[in-house]
Amino acid sequence: MIKKIVNRILAIALIASIAVIGGATLFGNMRSLGYAFAVNYTQYLDKDGGPFAGISARIASLTAAINVNILGKDWFEKTNARMQLALGKHSLNFGSTTMVRLNTGHLYDLLGDADVSDDIESMKALNDTLGEDGIPMIFVYAHGTLYEDDMLPTGVADFNDKVADDMVNGMREAGITTIDSREVYKNRGMTLDDAIFRTDLHWSIMTAFNVYRASCEALLETGAIQPDMTATDIGRFDIEILENAHMGGMGERVGAEAVEPDDFQVITPAFETYIRQNIMTSEGYQQREGTFEQAVMNADLLEGGGYSNRYDSYGYHTEIVYYTNENAPEGRLLIVKDSYGTPVTSFMSLAVRDVCALDLRKTQKTVEQLVDEFKPDAVVVIHCQEMFRGKNYVFIN
């Protein structure tokens, strides 16, 4: 009898927990889940899936969105990681994800193999469509973490570099001008210490700056836009290092007890700047203007001691952001980007007069729609692998 009562109590508690977590996840992320159901599902469609392909695709899209936004995800992940570390494990399992500590001390999520041929075709279609209107396109591949050989522990299988090579080679074979951040890393003589974070899947601010410079050089070659190359000279910038100040998403999963916080580079113009920024979000419209630090950066995220996630100090990853810099050469540049591209876009506001940044993860608009509205002279796409692996984009209708 007691056993039955205990089982019933546990069953009720489980159902109540599911209802609370499910309800809070649903109502707190209705817009994201709605986008997954109404738009992003197209990236999961099986062309030969039969009459129920649309239903299957919507279920897959919603499942992926819920996994990202579920209530309490961060707390459960950190608790899980600490339990595994206490057991002496070096590979930490997070359900569908396995995190390892690299030989260099960096945290890294192992990646499986992926077929990106359809994604390359989508990019080629976009490139061809823009080319018909005389608009050049540049693709920037943002690589994460693995920038040197022998970083992975012995016996660990990973497909990050293989898929990266497939993407970059495929883009170039399709006739798309492509910048590979791994090549930028080597060409600029960078080291791991200043190129990537230990606790964050993102590249460092210095890597973002060097990719910004490489992007300006590529734009210059197109002849469509003449960016101010003096604004890409690192010698004209102040560089401050905030020691042990940054804890990225990877580190947040395990806590500072397991991984030392990163140093954070603050790169700001030493020359006079004045920029207007207009931010468009689902919550409304926001306008900022002033110096680069005042109008473009979120400088408040750099204040205070201790460590925190300071990556967003170079801009939030909002839906659509417009930048106007009257002191820069004329030109209209559309940047389609993910979080890797946010600091690159911020720096780009120093070199091109009118810049529009579009994050396809946050809006139902397509690139084609923004091209019609903004009428750019050139388009730069800055995406990491996850944008393709996770089908987090809709390039064209």
Side-chain angles (χ1 to χ4, degrees), residues 64-246:
I66 289 171
N67 287 339
V68 170
N69 295 292
I70 190 167
L71 179 69
K73 177 175 179 286
D74 293 340
W75 183 86
F76 286 119
E77 281 188 340
K78 184 175 290 187
T79 302
N80 177 31
R82 288 179 175 174
M83 290 176 63
Q84 294 183 66
L85 286 170
L87 295 173
K89 297 184 65 175
H90 297 289
S91 295
L92 309 181
N93 186 272
F94 294 92
S96 60
T97 302
T98 298
M99 177 195 289
V100 298
R101 190 190 298 274
L102 300 177
N103 295 332
T104 54
H106 297 77
L107 298 177
Y108 173 69
D109 281 342
L110 295 178
L111 296 176
D113 201 359
D115 181 0
V116 293
S117 56
D118 287 344
D119 307 288
I120 294 170
E121 284 300 314
S122 294
M123 291 298 303
K124 183 179 184 303
L126 175 61
N127 186 57
D128 292 345
T129 299
L130 293 171
E132 292 173 0
D133 295 327
I135 303 172
M137 187 186 90
I138 297 167
F139 177 77
V140 178
Y141 167 59
H143 193 65
T145 306
L146 296 180
Y147 277 82
E148 295 282 358
D149 296 331
D150 302 323
M151 292 180 69
L152 287 164
T154 303
V156 172
D158 181 71
F159 291 87
N160 189 329
D161 281 320
K162 184 265 183 185
V163 174
D165 291 340
D166 290 345
M167 288 176 58
V168 171
N169 294 335
M171 298 291 181
R172 288 173 174 167
E173 289 170 4
I176 301 170
T177 300
T178 301
I179 296 171
D180 184 345
S181 67
R182 296 173 299 175
E183 296 172 356
V184 174
Y185 168 82
K186 293 177 181 177
N187 294 339
R188 299 294 176 192
M190 301 185 73
T191 64
L192 289 175
D193 289 339
D194 62 10
I196 57 177
F197 294 117
R198 282 187 303 273
T199 68
D200 200 327
L201 57 84
H202 293 105
W203 52 26
S204 70
I205 303 304
M206 183 59 75
T207 300
F209 184 91
N210 283 327
V211 169
Y212 149 65
R213 179 179 176 86
S215 300
C216 284
E217 291 170 347
L219 284 170
L220 197 62
E221 291 183 8
T222 68
I225 291 179
Q226 303 292 315
D228 180 3
M229 296 306 296
T230 67
T232 68
D233 179 0
I234 192 65
R236 300 186 66 213
F237 287 76
D238 294 323
I239 303 175
E240 180 184 2
I241 306 298
L242 303 181
E243 296 183 357
N244 298 115
H246 175 67

Side-chain angles (χ1 to χ4, degrees), residues 19-83:
V20 170
I21 293 173
T25 299
L26 174 62
F27 290 106
N29 301 278
M30 291 185 68
R31 191 171 184 279
S32 297
L33 298 180
Y35 178 70
F37 182 83
V39 178
N40 205 41
Y41 81 94
T42 58
Q43 306 305 313
Y44 294 85
L45 274 175
D46 184 350
K47 297 177 182 178
D48 302 317
F52 299 105
I55 296 175
S56 298
R58 282 184 165 88
I59 292 173
S61 183
L62 277 172
T63 300
I66 289 171
N67 287 339
V68 170
N69 295 292
I70 190 167
L71 179 69
K73 177 175 179 286
D74 293 340
W75 183 86
F76 286 119
E77 281 188 340
K78 184 175 290 187
T79 302
N80 177 31
R82 288 179 175 174
M83 290 176 63

Side-chain angles (χ1 to χ4, degrees), residues 251-273:
E252 287 173 352
R253 287 196 223 166
V254 298
E257 301 87 349
V259 59
E260 184 182 2
D262 287 290
D263 293 344
F264 190 81
Q265 304 145 347
V266 182
I267 305 175
T268 53
F271 51 91
E272 185 177 343
T273 58

